[in-house]
Amino acid sequence: MYRHHPQLQRLRELLDEGAIGELAMVEASFHFVQQRAEPLDIRLRPDLGGGALHDIGCYPVDFLGWLTGVEPDEFGVVASRDRPGGADTRVAVSARYGDVVASLQSSFDADFRAEARLLGSEGALHLPDVFRSDVHDGTATIRLERGGDVTENEVAGDQYGAQVSHFAHRVATGTPDPDGAALTRRTAATLARIARAAHLDVPGAES
């Protein structure tokens, strides 16, 4: 749903305008504290696709795929399970996408964060609500830091409503969404590579 918030369009404009110079590094993360009281919660069921990587780690991975248009050339990953054979609850990935180096993190054990930072040769961009603008009634902030000055861009939108409208339009008109489909395939392929590297696709394996 976050793909449909207009903040991404504004972010792309800022990058194309050279607002932070040459993009060098990206930090993207999604965290929240997942209660362990409900044993049937799908998030804690690796046999049903649960775990931090697939539940919320997919957002930073998808964001980098959208931002760069490619899968990572190389990466390293560390992960931790809540118990032997259980779901992954903490995942950290360091990756290289061409010349861009990225740090991608997700966990069920840290205070809520759903943000991204883009560091360039002439400044930085901070998106504190890139994945969950709905926590501020749909208003997302893009903070530009350059030359000691800080400028805030507020972008309003309803990412869930826009997602539904986009889907309904595609169905009603029978038109495909090749860009969206390509990004989804890219994200799925990258997640599979990360899971294999961390042995998260092997029940009970150490990660």
Side-chain angles (χ1 to χ4, degrees):
M1 76 297 187
Y2 87 97
R3 297 181 189 176
H4 300 276
H5 196 284
Q7 68 172 319
L8 289 194
Q9 179 180 346
R10 180 59 184 142
L11 172 62
R12 184 68 77 184
E13 291 171 352
L14 288 168
L15 292 173
D16 290 345
E17 292 167 2
I20 61 171
E22 181 180 354
L23 181 62
M25 302 189 70
V26 178
E27 303 166 357
S29 59
F30 202 152
H31 306 279
F32 72 93
V33 176
Q34 168 66 41
Q35 300 300 320
R36 306 296 204 273
E38 178 49 71
L40 298 181
D41 193 314
I42 192 173
R43 292 185 176 91
L44 303 176
R45 292 280 303 275
D47 57 315
L48 297 178
L53 175 64
H54 288 99
D55 185 58
I56 50 178
C58 57
Y59 288 89
V61 169
D62 192 80
F63 179 70
L64 263 294
W66 170 82
L67 187 64
T68 65
V70 297
E71 289 187 49
D73 297 295
E74 57 182 336
F75 64 86
V77 55
V78 291
S80 176
R81 298 179 189 265
D82 63 344
R83 65 186 187 283
D88 53 290
T89 55
R90 305 176 188 180
V91 181
V93 180
S94 294
R96 181 178 63 81
Y97 296 76
D99 294 330
V100 177
V101 174
S103 173
L104 313 176
Q105 301 178 8
S106 59
S107 80
F108 289 158
D109 301 310
D111 189 42
F112 179 82
R113 294 288 187 277
E115 63 183 350
R117 294 180 183 273
L118 288 74
L119 311 178
S121 57
E122 299 177 24
L125 288 162
H126 179 208
L127 292 79
D129 313 301
V130 65
F131 306 125
R132 289 292 309 277
S133 61
D134 57 294
V135 300
H136 296 296
D137 296 322
T139 299
T141 300
I142 302 177
R143 185 172 297 117
L144 170 61
E145 304 168 6
R146 180 174 175 138
D149 295 324
V150 178
T151 304
E152 291 194 349
N153 294 261
E154 289 193 345
V155 185
D158 177 2
Q159 61 188 22
Y160 293 102
Q163 179 188 32
V164 172
S165 295
H166 177 82
F167 177 76
H169 172 73
R170 295 292 181 178
V171 172
T173 60
T175 55
D177 181 7
D179 292 338
L183 175 53
T184 297
R185 286 192 293 268
R186 193 179 307 134
T187 297
T190 302
L191 288 171
R193 291 171 61 194
I194 292 171
R196 286 194 299 270
H199 305 297
L200 299 177
D201 56 342
V202 181
E206 291 297 325
S207 54

